[in-house]
Amino acid sequence: MLEQTKKLRYNIIIVITYIVGIILLFQLFNLQVIKGSEYRETSNTRLTRESTVKAARGNITDNSGNKLVTTKTGFSLELYKTKIDNDVFNNSIYNLAVLLEKNKDKYNDNLPITVNPYAFTAKDKETQKKWKNEYGIDEDATAEEAFNFLKKKYDIKQDDPEKARKIMAIRYEISRNGYSNIKPVIISNNISYLSANQIKEQSNKFPGTAVVTVPIVTYPYGNLASHILGYVGSISAEEYEANKDKYGMNDTIGKTGMQYTLEEYLKGQDGVRQVDMSVDGTITEEYISQEAVAGNNVALTIDSNLQKVTEKALAENIKKISNGAYGKKYNAKNGAAIVMNIKTGEVLALASYPDYEPELFVSGISQSKLDEYNKNKNCYNWAISGTYAPGSVFKMVVATAALEEKIITTQTTINDTGIYPRGHKPACWIYTDRHYGHGYLNVTGAIKKSCNYFFYELGYRMGIDPVIKYAKAYGLGVKTGIELSGEAEGIVDLKKQCQDLYGQQWQLGDTLSAVIGQSYNDYTPIQIARYVSMLANGGKSVDVTLIKSITDADGNKISKDEYEKKIKEKLGIEDIPEVKDLNIKKENLDAILKGMKGVTSETGGTAYYVFSDLDIDIGGKTGSAETGIKNQVNGWFAGFAPYDDPEIAIVVFIENAGSGGNVGDTAKTIINEYLGMNAKDVKEDLNAIPSTQINN
């Protein structure tokens, strides 16, 4: 009985197996034979592709959270490979280019040939030769011959060169970047809503195109803080080769300023979009399979309102100097102004003139605008990259050296008789046929009146070595480590520079020039700002910084040690010499600072006529630095405020200002704004009595 039961179960299993098999065979026959053509048609007309969902870059804010850089919703135009006739494809591309141009939208155009007349955009022959070799064009081919070669290669039938070039530009972009039915080429990174809508509505006229919503970098405050923020642009071939694991060929990357320095933190993590298309390129469905993650947010130390006032004051001061508002016209074209917290080293404002519009670079700046920027050096950061003789703002270094090394005391007086009797017998700046000198002065009075004779004598008594020692101690000739690329180092090893440059031994005449901030002295405005901060805070070193914090997408703060290490590696500043606290005796420091107070607050001070109407006392020093070019004198003002309880250091530099006294208006406006004394916008009086006083 048990045996029969087993056989029955076995037979049932066999029967079930046969039935299932027959059903599967029938279904397979149905799929492959009966409905095979239908499913093949469906398969051939639907393709699933993966597309990148671009992550928004992180915001950059000021110290109060105002967004200086953020993102807005924009549209990117992508093109996928489709199975259409070449003539149809070229005609579609032409119509696409015409539509974009009609709506004043740009498309990627890197074709290095122009027409009417034919010419290569690259002027040097080596660049042309390299490009021709890359595209299989004869090395001796003219621009017209190269154009016709590509026209034949892309089988463009348009006879009109202008129309043919529109097609060629996009075909060339495809050649450069490559594309497939699953990998698009970017035609434009930023098209208008009008173009996006028209392309979507007429998708059958533009096979393979896809309009994608993307985040576009935008600068709500326009040109404000452009040299700090920097700009982004399309990734270059070199940048792509070095970062293939993180970027695509069509990506945007930080090029200058914080956008460059903090690229790793500002760049987000891209997501993935699934796109279903028919074989003719028509999109049938889209959905997100992996969400994008926005970049980290960066809070800067700058105050956007103070930054605005600083930039405006600097620009207006330069224009006044150029227009002759101070008694004589000087060809002033550029300059810098810095406001620094003397206790923390936080930069509250950093202006460089002329500035530029960083948003123009987002979608590709025009060549004419780029040429204008390059000609006028708009993108050059005069505050950190330019090095200049400091003129008389250097005299506090010399005073520190002489006092601390006990060459003089705070009570020592020196009689300025006009012409110094040693070396090359230089005259004090005040010397004329009717005015022989300042007479007897101590160190405080010498700083107040910027007496060259007094400092010549200090240089003679102590030599140049103590001066170099204390210049280094104040951080001059040493990079500050500010988080921007392009910071210059300057020159503080004066004797070495003399030997290296001219092969000469240091002479007394070199010392006499050096102690009044001339000779080989060469420093950046940001270094002068750190030096003045140390003077005002009692000699304590400060860590110059523009970054307040970095926060990730979840609101977690990035460790300062972590981002500082990465920034130093990126900027190549790991080995900057440390500037330590300078323990200046209080009586010596007080004598120096009192002299700086006299500059701005007492009759006879070299900037008294600028600051006499301030409601508070400040410390300051003017500097007029000769450049070696006839009638060209750079102007400096370096100071701090308030005098009794210093909070900020202010440094202003204007190239070819005529004198240091001519740049004081910028500092005055900044101080008024910072201390809340500008109830209304300050209006400069262009009819004010001009001053012709020249101070070293």
Side-chain angles (χ1 to χ4, degrees):
M1 188 68 177
L2 181 61
E3 189 66 27
Q4 288 179 346
T5 301
K6 287 182 178 180
K7 287 182 178 180
L8 178 61
R9 289 176 178 173
Y10 177 75
N11 290 334
I12 291 171
I13 292 171
I14 292 295
V15 171
I16 291 171
T17 302
Y18 275 110
I19 291 172
V20 171
I22 290 169
I23 292 171
L24 290 173
L25 287 171
F26 177 77
Q27 185 65 21
L28 186 62
F29 178 80
N30 182 55
L31 291 171
Q32 291 188 336
V33 179
I34 298 175
K35 295 185 177 181
S37 60
E38 178 184 343
Y39 286 131
R40 277 192 294 274
E41 179 67 20
T42 301
S43 175
N44 286 336
T45 56
R46 290 189 63 189
L47 296 168
T48 299
R49 299 159 165 122
E50 278 192 355
S51 176
T52 300
V53 180
K54 300 307 298 179
R57 289 177 73 84
N59 298 319
I60 303 178
T61 71
D62 73 352
N63 58 18
S64 296
N66 298 305
K67 292 180 182 178
L68 305 177
V69 185
T70 186
T71 55
K72 62 182 179 181
T73 300
F75 302 97
S76 172
L77 180 59
E78 300 177 348
L79 181 63
Y80 290 88
K81 190 173 185 178
T82 57
K83 296 179 180 179
I84 58 174
D85 178 77
N86 187 72
D87 289 345
V88 175
F89 183 45
N90 282 342
N91 189 54
S92 171
I93 287 175
Y94 175 73
N95 290 332
L96 189 63
V98 170
L99 183 150
L100 293 173
E101 289 177 358
K102 181 181 177 182
N103 295 334
K104 298 181 179 179
D105 286 329
K106 297 177 182 178
Y107 51 87
N108 293 338
D109 183 354
N110 294 289
L111 182 67
I113 303 173
T114 59
V115 297
N116 294 332
Y118 290 99
F120 291 110
T121 56
K123 301 304 179 184
D124 68 286
K125 299 296 183 182
E126 280 303 312
T127 302
Q128 293 177 19
K129 181 179 177 181
K130 182 180 178 182
W131 176 77
K132 290 174 187 176
N133 288 334
E134 186 177 351
Y135 285 88
I137 302 171
D138 187 274
E139 289 184 3
D140 298 322
T142 63
E144 183 176 4
E145 290 168 343
F147 183 86
N148 289 330
F149 177 90
L150 293 178
K151 185 179 177 183
K152 182 177 180 181
K153 176 180 179 179
Y154 300 135
D155 196 15
I156 299 171
K157 302 229 169 102
Q158 279 280 2
D159 292 327
D160 186 327
E162 291 283 359
K163 293 180 179 179
R165 195 191 179 286
K166 295 183 195 300
I167 301 170
M168 193 181 296
I170 295 177
R171 292 296 300 265
Y172 178 71
E173 196 67 18
I174 294 170
S175 296
R176 288 178 72 238
N177 294 284
Y179 78 146
S180 68
N181 60 1
I182 61 171
K183 176 184 175 293
V185 61
I186 305 296
I187 300 301
S188 177
N189 291 308
N190 185 15
I191 62 173
S192 64
Y193 175 80
L194 179 61
S195 290
N197 207 34
Q198 289 177 352
I199 292 169
K200 285 180 179 179
E201 288 177 348
Q202 305 172 51
S203 60
N204 60 322
K205 289 177 59 177
F206 306 112
T209 58
V211 175
V212 180
T213 302
V214 292
I216 304 294
V217 175
T218 184
Y219 295 75
Y221 290 82
N223 294 23
L224 187 74
S226 55
H227 295 91
I228 298 173
L229 302 174
Y231 61 83
V232 298
S234 298
I235 192 168
S236 67
E238 294 78 12
E239 289 167 333
Y240 172 68
E241 284 298 321
N243 298 278
K244 280 184 177 179
D245 56 328
K246 300 176 184 176
Y247 294 87
M249 292 184 72
N250 299 308
D251 277 351
T252 293
I253 193 170
K255 300 286 188 176
T256 64
M258 284 296 166
Q259 296 280 23
Y260 169 79
T261 302
L262 298 177
E263 170 66 22
E264 179 180 344
Y265 293 100
L266 291 168
K267 183 185 185 302
Q269 183 178 337
D270 293 340
V272 178
R273 176 190 292 106
Q274 297 291 120
V275 182
D276 289 345
M277 275 188 176
S278 62
V279 73
D280 66 358
T282 303
I283 295 176
T284 57
E285 188 179 1
E286 292 184 56
Y287 56 94
I288 303 297
S289 60
Q290 181 180 322
E291 294 288 346
V293 179
N296 299 320
N297 294 319
V298 176
L300 301 179
T301 60
I302 68 170
D303 178 289
S304 57
N305 193 55
L306 187 63
Q307 177 75 24
K308 180 181 178 181
V309 169
T310 300
E311 291 184 8
K312 183 181 179 182
L314 177 64
E316 288 181 349
N317 201 167
I318 289 173
K319 289 174 184 175
K320 285 174 64 177
I321 292 169
S322 300
N323 292 333
Y326 298 100
K328 180 181 178 181
K329 288 185 179 182
Y330 297 94
N331 189 27
K333 292 182 178 179
N334 51 65
I338 301 162
V339 186
M340 185 180 293
N341 183 315
I342 67 161
K343 297 173 184 177
T344 65
E346 291 183 346
V347 177
L348 304 179
L350 185 149
S352 180
Y353 183 88
D355 60 10
Y356 66 95
E357 191 172 348
E359 196 159 329
L360 293 179
F361 290 87
V362 174
S363 299
I365 190 170
S366 68
Q367 188 61 49
S368 60
K369 195 65 178 179
L370 184 60
D371 290 343
E372 176 191 327
Y373 279 172
N374 289 336
K375 179 182 178 181
N376 297 325
K377 296 186 176 181
N378 293 67
C379 298
Y380 188 81
N381 193 338
W382 302 93
I384 70 164
S385 300
T387 59
Y388 316 93
S392 288
V393 299
F394 188 70
K395 286 175 178 174
M396 289 81 77
V397 172
V398 182
T400 304
L403 290 166
E404 290 292 296
E405 297 296 318
K406 299 180 180 179
I407 304 299
I408 61 170
T409 71
T410 58
Q411 301 304 313
T412 301
T413 59
I414 295 171
N415 183 21
D416 173 12
T417 57
I419 297 178
Y420 189 69
R422 298 182 177 89
H424 55 287
K425 296 183 171 63
C428 187
W429 67 267
I430 200 172
Y431 175 78
T432 66
D433 291 340
R434 291 178 295 175
H435 200 303
Y436 296 106
H438 290 104
Y440 284 96
L441 294 171
N442 62 12
V443 68
T444 299
I447 292 173
K448 170 185 170 180
K449 296 187 176 183
S450 200
C451 177
N452 288 349
Y453 190 109
F454 185 95
F455 288 93
Y456 293 148
E457 179 62 18
L458 295 190
Y460 169 72
R461 292 185 187 185
M462 66 179 162
I464 197 61
D465 290 335
V467 177
I468 295 173
K469 172 185 172 182
Y470 283 88
K472 288 181 178 179
Y474 276 120
L476 296 176
V478 179
K479 289 184 180 181
T480 65
I482 193 169
E483 301 93 342
L484 296 172
S485 61
E487 183 182 9
E489 188 172 64
I491 299 169
V492 70
D493 288 323
L494 309 182
K495 291 170 70 175
K496 183 176 185 300
Q497 183 71 3
C498 179
Q499 178 66 40
D500 292 347
L501 197 61
Y502 294 108
Q504 297 176 358
Q505 295 300 312
W506 190 262
Q507 304 293 326
L508 174 60
D510 298 313
T511 299
L512 299 184
S513 294
V515 292
I516 61 168
Q518 297 287 168
S519 184
Y520 304 102
N521 285 298
D522 214 21
Y523 312 120
T524 62
I526 193 69
Q527 288 174 11
I528 299 295
R530 174 171 61 181
Y531 148 54
V532 174
S533 293
M534 291 180 66
L535 268 172
N537 72 21
K540 294 181 176 61
S541 176
V542 294
D543 294 323
V544 178
T545 183
L546 277 164
I547 300 175
K548 192 176 185 70
S549 66
I550 302 178
T551 309
D552 67 20
D554 296 323
N556 302 310
K557 284 191 175 182
I558 308 297
S559 162
K560 184 177 181 180
D561 289 340
E562 176 192 327
Y563 69 70
E564 281 187 343
K565 180 180 179 182
K566 290 186 177 180
I567 288 170
K568 287 179 179 179
E569 288 175 356
K570 182 157 190 174
L571 299 181
I573 55 175
E574 300 102 313
D575 301 324
I576 293 178
E578 182 183 0
V579 176
K580 299 179 180 179
D581 290 352
L582 183 55
N583 298 313
I584 309 171
K585 289 181 181 177
K586 187 177 184 305
E587 64 179 297
N588 293 339
L589 184 62
D590 287 347
I592 293 170
L593 298 183
K594 186 178 178 182
M596 295 179 72
K597 177 183 176 183
V599 168
T600 61
S601 305
E602 298 175 8
T603 303
T606 57
Y608 176 69
Y609 67 97
V610 178
F611 296 94
S612 60
D613 60 346
L614 275 183
D615 292 335
I616 63 157
D617 290 332
I618 67 167
K621 185 71 191 76
T622 55
S624 303
E626 296 178 355
T627 63
I629 300 173
K630 186 178 180 180
N631 297 324
Q632 183 165 316
V633 177
N634 296 336
W636 289 89
F637 177 84
F640 60 90
Y643 178 78
D644 292 327
D645 187 15
E647 296 178 22
I648 58 168
I650 312 102
V651 169
V652 182
F653 168 82
I654 296 178
E655 192 171 274
N656 200 16
S659 77
N662 291 350
V663 309
D665 280 340
T666 301
K668 180 180 177 181
T669 302
I670 292 168
I671 292 167
N672 278 333
E673 176 63 31
Y674 179 81
L675 296 175
M677 295 189 290
N678 274 346
K680 298 180 181 179
D681 290 340
V682 175
K683 293 184 178 180
E684 301 290 356
D685 181 6
L686 298 183
N687 297 314
I689 298 173
S691 169
T692 57
Q693 179 169 311
I694 303 296
N695 331 293
N696 288 313

